[in-house]
Amino acid sequence: MTTTAPAVRHTTGPKAAPARHPLRWPAAAGVVLLLAMAANSLVTNPAWEWEVVGQYLFAPSVLRAVLLTLELTALGTVFGFALGGVLAVMRLSPNPLLSSVAWGYVWVFRAVPLILQLLFWYNLALLYPRLSFGIPFGPAFFSVGTMDLIGPVTAAALGLALHQAAYAAEIVRGGLLAVDPGQREAAAALGIPRVRRFFRIILPQAMRSIVPNAGNEIIGLVKGTSVVYIMALPELFYQVQVIYMRNGRVVALLLVAAIWYLALTTVMSVVQHYVERHYGRGRS
Amino acid sequence: MIEIDGVHKSFGALHVLRGVSLKVATGEVAVVLGPSGSGKSTLLRTINHLERPDAGTVHVDGRLIGHRGEREILRQRTEIGFVFQNFNLFPHLTVRENIAEAPLSAQRRPKAEVALAVDRLLLRVGLSDKADAYPGTLSGGQRQRVAIARALALDPKVVLFDEPTSALDPELVGEVLDVMRDLARSGTTMVVVTHEIGFAREAADTVVFLDEGLVVEHGPPGQVIDHPQHERTRAFISRVL
Ligand SMILES: Nc1ncnc2c1ncn2[C@@H]1O[C@H](COP(=O)(O)OP(=O)(O)O)[C@@H](O)[C@H]1O
Ligand SMILES: [Mg+2]
């Protein structure tokens, strides 16, 4: 049930003696020394090839790769969480068929490694060279070559989204379960229509626990996109490999990729902070 | 206004309501007393169909409750205000948004009209200065007053209260009972589950004593509270007084 304590009363007790931390200063000094050594080596050791990093950081081919990484992340997130949301609602439904289908989906898609799923979708074209659209078990209206429909980008986005949906379903389900049942009941008692109850009352409260976990997932997905290099898609990780195969500047180009992944996830963490603040409104 | 006839309700093997019948006339205030677990909440929840009775019927304002599908149930609920023990305010919405939600989305009343109604209700429960506050910043007594305003915003024909002061610190009970007394005086039809015998004595037209899923006795407060006919009623009253 809801927390109903009216207000926390503060009692003033005797002040605790400040704890002593005799090791704090030597530890801090040690850390500063190590940081200085690392920074010095980064700057002075020519093996890092900073000028090569600078040269490729904003190279058009790298920027295009960053864009593709972002695109795959966005598609994986949007479709993954949309499908995950549907699966979560199915899983919580009193209908045993719906809830077992959702359970089965999560069971399979969470168990099979992403890289395997991606290869599977990529090779789907070999299994079903043509896809037909029409009445189930009846005549087809039109059919297309699977390769035309599921190109490498679609296959990758599909694979990421289907995999992500299994995790998203569990996150959304947990979030929905965390909402006080009294909230559903109050909304029902007020005669608020079912769909409105879900989107206006329940989901915004569920978002409080969904967002931090979803943030982790999306950041994981940014890096997860690097797995699609096996499909020879020129996303960030694949692209830097192509470049260093050609010029041999392995460390510098791995640094380029690392810097971009760091930048992308940093931006996402900042966005996450504001989204969390939005859904935390009304609670201190 | 409310006619409950032979209502039964079981949860699994637990037979919670065992043939409850009760009538509450328009403008009347009925207080339901009874030990914990006697089925008071369940009875109240059958009136607005949060629980479906296994047998028996509930009529509100002459209409049978809960027999014509989801839409009709939702419409009927807008005519039946419900105030919960734990307030159940929506924590992510401001006081104003809490009160305006159902009139806007369940009754589809125009925004401007609802805004005026919200102001009027906040004045009535003495919280005009809290319109834009979030429930989390309010005291328990203030929260329950907002919850009462939220129930009243639908212009309900009856208002049901399920132990509205039981979750409150003792010093906050008075402000909520004041609002409820005011409502009772203004002619609102009310069914109140409470252990506040003082409130029952002053405000009730009828007191109903419920025990083990049955109405043991009912009548005016002077009778049921001060001169109970049944031993079980007597024992209960002497415990809560
Ligand atoms: N949804 C439910 N499922 C199972 N048992 C329930 C449910 N609601 C109430 N009960 C049980 O029914 C009995 C009566 O509950 P309730 O009506 O809440 O009593 P009261 O409000 O008088 O304390 C209690 O034993 C309670 O545990
Ligand atoms: Mg109860």
Side-chain angles (χ1 to χ4, degrees):
Chain A
M1 286 279 125
T2 33
T3 49
T4 55
V8 180
R9 270 177 278 299
H10 294 280
T11 50
T12 46
K15 284 229 171 65
R20 285 176 213 280
H21 301 283
L23 287 178
R24 187 180 281 169
W25 284 110
V31 169
V32 167
L33 185 66
L34 286 173
L35 280 176
M37 286 164 68
N40 182 51
S41 145
L42 275 175
V43 173
T44 56
N45 187 333
W48 291 104
E49 302 185 300
W50 285 106
E51 70 291 342
V52 181
V53 172
Q55 181 190 331
Y56 280 101
L57 195 55
F58 297 105
S61 62
V62 170
L63 290 181
R64 272 196 303 275
V66 169
L67 268 184
L68 183 58
T69 290
L70 274 176
E71 189 188 333
L72 288 171
T73 305
L75 289 171
T77 301
V78 170
F79 290 107
F81 273 85
L83 178 57
V86 171
L87 286 168
V89 172
M90 282 170 66
R91 183 75 202 281
L92 293 172
S93 134
N95 181 324
L97 177 69
L98 292 182
S99 88
S100 23
V101 166
W103 181 88
Y105 182 96
V106 173
W107 178 59
V108 171
F109 281 81
R110 241 182 7 176
V112 180
L114 175 59
I115 194 162
L116 199 158
Q117 289 184 37
L118 287 171
L119 285 171
F120 179 82
W121 293 116
Y122 192 51
N123 288 290
L124 189 65
L126 301 178
L127 241 55
Y128 294 100
R130 296 195 76 72
L131 292 178
S132 308
F133 294 85
I135 298 162
F137 306 110
F141 296 137
F142 65 96
S143 76
V144 294
T146 309
M147 262 309 188
D148 304 332
L149 190 71
I150 305 185
V153 175
T154 314
L158 187 70
L160 290 169
L162 293 178
H163 179 257
Q164 196 54 51
Y167 288 89
E170 289 300 281
I171 290 174
V172 174
R173 185 171 76 98
L176 292 176
L177 285 176
V179 178
D180 176 358
Q183 293 290 309
R184 254 169 254 270
E185 195 148 79
L190 285 164
I192 299 170
R194 216 172 259 277
V195 172
R196 173 87 176 175
R197 246 181 269 165
F198 180 77
F199 284 104
R200 170 79 164 163
I201 307 297
I202 305 304
L203 190 59
Q205 297 187 59
M207 287 302 270
R208 266 166 46 83
S209 44
I210 291 174
V211 171
N213 293 317
N216 274 335
E217 283 296 316
I218 296 169
I219 285 171
L221 190 56
V222 175
K223 297 176 291 174
T225 58
S226 65
V227 171
V228 311
Y229 83 91
I230 53 149
M231 303 165 83
L233 268 186
E235 49 69 51
L236 188 52
F237 186 49
Y238 181 85
Q239 190 58 43
V240 297
Q241 291 181 67
V242 167
I243 299 173
Y244 71 58
M245 301 282 199
R246 212 169 48 217
N247 67 9
R249 304 290 176 73
V250 179
V251 171
L253 278 146
L254 288 178
L255 265 180
V256 167
I259 289 169
W260 273 112
Y261 283 120
L262 192 61
L264 295 181
T265 55
T266 304
V267 170
M268 284 175 192
S269 305
V270 172
V271 172
Q272 180 183 345
H273 169 80
Y274 285 100
V275 175
E276 272 179 32
R277 206 170 68 171
H278 172 77
Y279 285 109
R281 72 193 186 279
R283 326 242 190 171
S284 35
Chain B
M1 176 59 70
I2 304 176
E3 283 181 53
I4 300 170
D5 192 24
V7 163
H8 285 261
K9 178 75 191 179
S10 299
F11 296 110
L14 191 66
H15 202 165
V16 177
L17 297 180
R18 302 190 295 157
V20 176
S21 298
L22 185 68
K23 277 192 175 126
V24 183
T26 304
E28 201 180 18
V29 176
V31 166
V32 179
L33 302 176
S36 173
S38 57
K40 305 181 299 294
S41 297
T42 306
L43 176 64
L44 221 50
R45 292 157 55 85
T46 58
I47 299 178
N48 74 346
H49 212 70
L50 283 176
E51 303 288 357
R52 170 187 289 277
D54 299 330
T57 56
V58 177
H59 285 81
V60 173
D61 199 24
R63 286 169 195 263
L64 188 57
I65 295 293
H67 279 251
R68 279 215 276 136
E70 170 94 4
R71 272 187 63 146
E72 178 64 7
I73 291 169
L74 290 179
R75 200 197 56 74
Q76 288 175 330
R77 282 185 185 147
T78 63
E79 299 182 343
I80 306 170
F82 201 108
V83 176
F84 296 86
Q85 179 174 349
N86 291 309
F87 329 130
N88 291 342
L89 292 178
F90 307 130
H92 60 302
L93 303 181
T94 64
V95 165
R96 173 182 295 286
E97 290 166 337
N98 263 277
I99 301 173
E101 175 57 30
L104 291 174
S105 71
Q107 293 180 317
R108 304 193 161 281
R109 277 155 57 187
K111 261 197 177 127
E113 180 201 313
V114 171
L116 281 178
V118 172
D119 289 335
R120 204 161 13 84
L121 284 162
L122 283 174
L123 196 64
R124 185 163 179 187
V125 299
L127 290 170
S128 293
D129 54 332
K130 298 292 186 189
D132 298 312
Y134 283 99
T137 63
L138 305 180
S139 74
Q142 291 172 329
R143 287 184 209 182
Q144 194 59 295
R145 285 188 280 152
V146 172
I148 293 172
R150 182 174 73 172
L152 294 177
L154 292 161
D155 281 326
K157 292 179 174 152
V158 304
V159 185
L160 314 175
F161 294 82
D162 191 2
E163 302 203 33
T165 57
S166 297
L168 299 177
D169 283 356
E171 73 269 24
L172 302 174
V173 169
E175 62 189 71
V176 172
L177 291 182
D178 283 344
V179 170
M180 290 170 60
R181 266 190 220 103
D182 184 50
L183 268 181
R185 269 197 297 271
S186 73
T188 310
T189 309
M190 296 162 61
V191 181
V192 184
V193 172
T194 184
H195 294 298
E196 296 289 332
I197 296 294
F199 176 81
R201 225 193 277 277
E202 286 168 63
D205 300 295
T206 310
V207 174
V208 179
F209 178 65
L210 196 72
D211 195 17
E212 296 180 357
L214 283 170
V215 175
V216 175
E217 67 178 291
H218 65 101
Q223 182 194 315
V224 177
I225 296 172
D226 299 319
H227 306 286
Q229 304 295 303
H230 291 260
E231 180 48 39
R232 277 194 285 173
T233 319
R234 210 169 295 141
F236 176 79
I237 300 280
S238 67
R239 257 185 292 133
V240 294
L241 270 181

